[in-house]
Amino acid sequence: MVIGAPTEWADLIDPMVPVILKLVIETWEQMPQIMPDAKEDKVTESLCKALKQNRTARDLPFQIHIQMVELEPANDEKLGRMDIAFLPLINREDVYFCLECKRLNVANGSGVRTYASEYVRFGMLRFIRGQYSKTVKHGAMSAYVLDGNTSSAIQNVESNIQINHQELGMSPPGSFQPSTVLTGDARARETHHKRVHDNSAFCIHHLFMPRKDAA
């Protein structure tokens, strides 16, 4: 039986972050092509299945789950249903690394919708409010850039982050930072936050992954 407060186990996530981010990108690059209007849940299900089948993942000390629920979110927030969660092999369900997945630059009948606002409000803010990852210091967002234009996707999301930087617990102007984990990778960014429920520092790692046949 594992004992101790969640914060005593949260540091187990830190060394897993580089491994998980590289695993996600490697797996995405091996996935088949998807449609420019692909549904988010279907893509996430395919990504999670591919992650579980990845040979590298099989040798790593964590389990991969889809649609896991945070049963005790911070500050009486609504239950958070995470897209993909990586759990270290300990007997604590509140210590995990969450990968929240969102579509960006989605084709519709009149052109392309950015979905940048949804990325921030229904993704990033759920980390900051403690609906996801309330006891750990890292989380991640995986953006499916369905038109392949990662530059515009990054710019649109950053503009929305700047509008909402106070609510996101970020210092002005609320900008993306280069990834300190995937250094030199143009698809990767990170943002730094202070969360209200415990005033802790929190880092969101952002992966902007283009649809393969549009890249």
Side-chain angles (χ1 to χ4, degrees):
M1 179 177 178
V2 177
I3 59 174
T7 52
E8 296 176 14
W9 297 98
D11 288 344
L12 289 174
I13 299 298
D14 294 7
M16 292 170 53
V17 173
V19 177
I20 291 174
L21 297 184
K22 291 174 184 176
L23 175 65
V24 171
I25 287 180
E26 173 190 310
T27 303
W28 178 260
E29 291 175 341
Q30 295 172 354
M31 287 179 60
Q33 296 177 0
I34 58 176
M35 298 299 291
D37 59 351
K39 300 301 182 184
E40 181 181 299
D41 286 349
K42 291 295 185 182
V43 179
T44 300
E45 288 171 7
S46 297
L47 175 59
C48 187
K49 181 178 180 181
L51 284 166
K52 289 185 175 185
Q53 293 174 340
N54 189 298
R55 290 184 177 180
T56 302
R58 294 176 186 173
D59 296 330
L60 296 174
F62 50 72
Q63 298 176 336
I64 303 172
H65 295 267
I66 192 169
Q67 294 291 315
M68 195 180 89
V69 175
E70 171 66 78
L71 296 177
E72 296 182 1
N75 299 331
D76 297 321
E77 290 283 350
K78 294 180 180 179
L79 295 179
R81 187 177 296 276
M82 295 165 281
D83 287 325
I84 300 176
F86 299 81
L87 281 72
L89 302 180
I90 60 172
N91 189 25
R92 292 214 72 109
E93 293 185 356
D94 49 0
V95 176
Y96 56 82
F97 184 83
C98 172
L99 179 69
E100 182 66 6
C101 304
K102 291 285 179 272
R103 300 185 303 169
L104 295 175
N105 294 6
V106 183
N108 58 32
S110 58
V112 174
R113 180 175 171 182
T114 69
Y115 281 95
S117 176
E118 289 82 353
Y119 181 97
V120 172
R121 185 146 301 276
F122 301 118
M124 294 178 67
L125 276 171
R126 290 180 176 176
F127 285 107
I128 307 313
R129 291 171 176 162
Q131 288 175 271
Y132 304 154
S133 306
K134 68 178 179 129
T135 63
V136 296
K137 298 182 291 187
H138 296 268
M141 297 280 298
S142 175
Y144 310 140
V145 185
L146 296 187
D147 71 345
N149 192 340
T150 55
S151 296
S152 73
I154 291 170
Q155 183 177 2
N156 291 333
V157 170
E158 185 172 47
S159 295
N160 201 272
I161 289 172
Q162 291 172 346
I163 293 170
N164 296 282
H165 75 273
Q166 289 184 318
E167 192 174 2
L168 286 164
M170 297 176 67
S171 301
S175 300
F176 277 131
Q177 303 297 320
S179 174
T180 58
V181 175
L182 302 173
T183 56
D185 193 324
R187 299 165 295 184
R189 299 288 190 278
E190 64 187 46
T191 49
H192 304 142
H193 310 261
K194 283 286 189 178
R195 300 197 288 186
V196 175
H197 64 275
D198 61 1
N199 199 36
S200 63
F202 189 80
C203 179
I204 301 179
H205 303 268
H206 304 262
L207 302 178
F208 291 89
M209 302 193 295
R211 184 170 62 92
K212 183 180 295 183
D213 64 340

